[in-house]
Amino acid sequence: MHRSFVNKIIICVVFFVCIGQNISCAKNSQEVKKSESVNVVSKNNEEIEKLGRVLSSLSDRAKEAIPNGSPEEFLSDLHAVLDAEKEFSSTDLSPYFLIDKKHNVGSDYVPKNLISVKQNELWNVSRNDLSLREEAYKALEALSKAALDDGIKLMVSSTYRSYSYQEKLFARYVSEDGLELAERYSARPGTSQHQLGCAVDFGSITEDWDETKMGKWVYENAADYGWSLSFPRGYEDITGYMWECWHFRYIGKEACAFQKKWFSNIQQFMLEFIDAWKNS
């Protein structure tokens, strides 16, 4: 995180405190107006202080990824993301839910309202047992329609995976490649984004997929429909996994824009921030 951004947060805190002190000296005839202004100032002051605490709790690499900017603008964008979250199902885990090698779900967790992802005029599928939660399914429809308009039919290769499915898959990879290597490209059960029902593996699931016509189109357009690349190249120490050019997670358009603008377009940094913000 650039030092000037931290300094702006500190300056804003001082600025709002000074405003509050000045307002408290207003005449009695302005008492109502003063009270309303103090409430606004107090809320802004508290949020900027909280922003400073949360940003400070992030990893050094996450801090370095955050560009210079206005704390007020950052907070405004954050609230747009949190407001968008209210449109998701309130009876299920949020699409922003942080799941990784340190944060997991239980063996009994199954997303609600899973919809089968079958072969149709919008996309091809690699198997017949695929499914996604409702929000992700609708976003896949929108993405696929846009791709078709450009002459590309998407291939959906993997979607929701149950705890037991992931358990068997991980065990197979361990038997084939050993634990150390398997953990670099496969999630232990309960820690896979696929269990949330919001992740899709596209295409051939090979390292050259991003160079295909389909891959290039998805990379250029996915964020416009709420899809975010989960495991980018060069961030294995952050995400815990090798680069997977084919693995995208649905988080919504607002979160994709927030990620790109404030977190160097790294999903893990943004989700860690949101998790820390909610729990601060």
Side-chain angles (χ1 to χ4, degrees), residues 20-36:
Q21 291 173 342
N22 289 337
I23 290 174
S24 67
C25 295
K27 295 180 180 180
N28 291 336
S29 61
Q30 297 177 319
E31 192 67 28
V32 174
K33 183 177 180 181
K34 179 197 74 172
S35 178
E36 293 173 350

Side-chain angles (χ1 to χ4, degrees), residues 65-80:
I66 300 173
N68 294 329
S70 160
E72 294 87 355
E73 184 178 356
F74 184 103
L75 288 168
S76 176
D77 292 342
L78 170 62
H79 284 297

Side-chain angles (χ1 to χ4, degrees), residues 181-215:
L181 179 55
E183 285 196 316
R184 295 183 62 198
Y185 66 82
S186 180
R188 289 177 178 268
T191 68
S192 172
Q193 290 188 355
H194 285 286
Q195 193 175 345
L196 298 179
C198 291
V200 170
D201 290 343
F202 288 104
S204 55
I205 313 185
T206 56
E207 292 188 0
D208 63 348
W209 179 76
D210 64 314
E211 295 299 325
T212 66
K213 184 177 180 180
M214 183 194 306

Side-chain angles (χ1 to χ4, degrees), residues 255-271:
C256 283
F258 188 53
Q259 168 187 306
K260 182 177 181 180
K261 182 176 179 179
W262 292 107
F263 295 93
S264 298
N265 213 21
I266 303 302
Q267 180 192 115
Q268 184 72 19
F269 290 155
M270 183 199 65
L271 293 179

Side-chain angles (χ1 to χ4, degrees), residues 27 37 43 76 136 160 162 171 211 219 229 252 262 279:
K27 295 180 180 180
S37 299
K43 182 178 179 180
S76 176
Y160 165 70
S162 67
E211 295 299 325
Y219 267 69
L229 179 71
W262 292 107
N279 290 294

Side-chain angles (χ1 to χ4, degrees), residues 208-254:
D208 63 348
W209 179 76
D210 64 314
E211 295 299 325
T212 66
K213 184 177 180 180
M214 183 194 306
K216 290 179 179 179
W217 188 94
V218 171
Y219 267 69
E220 184 176 348
N221 296 282
D224 293 337
Y225 300 89
W227 293 93
S228 164
L229 179 71
S230 296
F231 309 122
R233 189 194 299 271
Y235 287 87
E236 185 176 348
D237 60 320
I238 300 300
T239 66
Y241 299 103
M242 297 177 181
W243 173 58
E244 292 190 355
C245 62
W246 57 85
H247 181 113
F248 285 75
R249 173 176 175 172
Y250 175 70
I251 56 175
K253 300 175 186 178
E254 293 81 5

Side-chain angles (χ1 to χ4, degrees), residues 81-93:
V81 171
L82 297 178
D83 286 343
E85 185 179 28
K86 298 174 184 176
E87 301 300 317
F88 301 136
S89 172
S90 61
T91 61
D92 207 341
L93 293 178

